Amino acid sequence: MALFAQQTTSASALRQASTAASTPDAEAVDAVPPARIQLEAVNVQFTTRNGTTAALQNIDLTVREGEFVCLVGPSGCGKSTLLSVIAGLQKANSGSALMDGKPITGPGPERAVIFQEAALFPWLTAAQNVEFALKQRIRNKKERRAAAIEHLSMVHLARFADSYPHELSGGMRQRVAIARALALNPDILLMDEPFAALDAQTRDLLLAEVQRIWQSTGKTILFVTHNVMEAVTLGDRVICMGTRPGTIKQEIAVTLPRPRAVEDPDTARLAQRIMTHLRDEINKIAQEESDHAATLIAPARSGDTGDIPDPLANSMGDGI
Amino acid sequence: MIFLILLLIVWETGFRRNWWNSYLFPGPSEVLKTLTADIKDGSLLIAMRISLLRIGVAFGAAMVLGTLIGLVMGAVPLVHRAISPLALGLQTLPSICWLPLAVIWFGLSERAILFVTLMGALLAVSIAVSDGIRNIPPLYLRAAGMMGARGLRLYREVMLPAALPAILSGAKQGWAFAWRSLMAGELLSVSTGALGLGQTLMRGRDLNDMSEVLAVMTVLVAIGVIADRLVFSRLEANVRRRWGLSAG
Ligand SMILES: Nc1ncnc2c1ncn2[C@@H]1O[C@H](COP(=O)(O)OP(=O)(O)OP(=O)(O)O)[C@@H](O)[C@H]1O
Ligand SMILES: [Mg+2]
């Protein structure tokens, strides 16, 4: 039995998109859902006093209606940058970024972002934070409050509606952030390592929660992580990125049945396969970093060598 | 506290035993007597009311103006670059130095005193607000942008509350400056209208009533401590805790 299919071009991934709806009916095979996000030849460079970094090079990516796409890659490969381009928080230097065929010019409520740290407003309670997102849609105060509580109960936090963020745990805050994002009624959820700062148990719980929300709401989700297990557990497609320059290395369609759990052996086996591919990429960075460190240290008896990053410090080992 | 009581005892003993000219530096019991007498005949309360009213008006105006100036300075980089050197420079100027100017503009009047007091707080508040705005975590602004908060709503519902801890510490500093400026202003314009605490202090000197001078000084310290400890520090601590800026 084929647990997964592997493609190296993004175009062939489109054929797999029909499985995204998690309804393997024969009639649905031909009905490819419409593209929501289309990136074509996107380049992003950052110029600092240390030179120019090609954060993204020639990125082509299509995300279709209702798809759950995961983006994995080593630290610094441009995952956050890619997400920011789609969110409208970062301009591409060249190439085109379209949402529903229209150029993305700035952030908007149809593309809700969930950041690594819950970006809740500390001066508002959990419910008020969610209400903030509802303000433009619901004018009536009472209705707004009721809708906020409803969204909080989707993440099982209705009981904490009147708690301030500093009174909640990290996992609870991240759940409020999810409720707030859902309250925007976005077409697309963009999640940037939302659970990276949480302990493993909380994270597994929230992974299950995100799958449940995705299945019940049918939202399109783009999920960034450096944890391959997480990606395989969640995604219809896993997109592996390489670093310097940030490019898409390969795409893997995941056709394992849902709901998936991190501890499923099939999930683990597929993750292992992807890890092997990514390891080359990590080794490449490690080599680069140590070469770079050598050039820094050798001539620099003068003292200031700058900080030398540990190339493996933020690698993808967590999940395995 | 114990040290304070000890100090009072030494002070009183020294006064009773005539270690120094008791007329030039009366003991705590004398000061207390004057204080209660002043409170009873109402003169001290009136002076307090006048001074507090003055600082209320001037400090209130400084808060409103300073917050507006600070908001613009914080939000528009060009304005910040243009104004901030000037503001920082003027802040080093003791605000009583505005008195001559104020007297020329307004005459030796109530308005001159208010102006000096206002100038004492204005720059501290503006600078604190603008720094507060500039140091808002970008994450908050990005989240706000994503939720479609723009223009006035962005200012009122995100930037102001996000900068509130900085604004409060600016207010605290501004209050201290304003209080000093008010006293300086009152000391230097005894002849002006209503008698505030500073003018009462000066009148005590004119009448060589040292226990009156010390009584007013005691009141000044008390007001300072109450404002700082009970109002500003407490507010600041509450806000910082809620904003997640301090543990506990
Ligand atoms: N504002 C910026 N200015 C300069 N360089 C930047 C900026 N943002 C990102 N970069 C560079 O772009 C590259 C990609 O950064 P990005 O944050 O997208 O990586 P990432 O894949 O999200 O990494 P991580 O997994 O550590 O979050 C990095 O090499 C980084 O140094
Ligand atoms: Mg990142």
Side-chain angles (χ1 to χ4, degrees), chain A residues 80 116 192-193:
Chain A
S80 296
Q116 179 161 351
D192 191 357
E193 308 200 32

Side-chain angles (χ1 to χ4, degrees), chain A residues 46 48 53 55 73-82 193 226 244 314:
Chain A
F46 290 111
T48 59
T53 319
S75 180
C77 70
K79 304 182 296 290
S80 296
T81 309
L82 181 52
E193 308 200 32
H226 60 250
R244 267 171 239 143
N314 200 6

Side-chain angles (χ1 to χ4, degrees), chain A residues 89 107-109 111-113 115 117-123 129 132-133 135-136 164 166 180 184, chain B residues 139-150 153 157-159 161-163 241-244 248:
Chain A
L89 298 166
R111 284 162 284 132
V113 188
F115 302 92
E117 322 92 275
L120 299 176
F121 297 137
W123 54 90
N129 264 288
F132 193 102
K135 219 159 234 176
Q136 264 150 356
Y164 284 96
H166 79 270
R180 183 175 71 170
L184 287 169
Chain B
L139 200 58
Y140 292 162
L141 299 180
R142 271 191 256 157
M146 164 191 104
M147 289 186 282
R150 301 205 163 73
R153 178 164 178 231
E157 293 183 32
V158 180
M159 287 170 74
R241 190 166 45 79
R242 169 98 72 80
W243 266 231

Side-chain angles (χ1 to χ4, degrees), chain B residues 3 14 25 38 45-47 49 53-54 85 116 122 131 144 153 155 172 176 181 187 200 235:
Chain B
F3 172 75
F25 190 39
D38 279 358
L45 292 182
I46 290 171
R49 234 192 58 190
L53 204 68
R54 280 175 182 156
V116 169
L122 184 65
D131 285 352
R153 178 164 178 231
Y155 267 89
K172 183 175 150 185
S181 312
L187 285 175
T200 314
L235 259 173

Side-chain angles (χ1 to χ4, degrees), chain B residues 152-208:
Chain B
L152 198 64
R153 178 164 178 231
L154 183 65
Y155 267 89
R156 229 192 31 227
E157 293 183 32
V158 180
M159 287 170 74
L160 263 185
L164 194 61
I167 294 176
L168 268 183
S169 57
K172 183 175 150 185
Q173 212 189 4
W175 170 274
F177 282 134
W179 188 237
R180 283 165 178 71
S181 312
L182 175 65
M183 285 309 122
E186 289 188 348
L187 285 175
L188 291 180
S189 50
V190 184
S191 57
T192 321
L195 291 185
L197 286 170
Q199 284 128 333
T200 314
L201 189 68
M202 211 54 178
R203 201 188 46 182
R205 193 216 67 163
D206 292 341
L207 301 174
N208 277 331

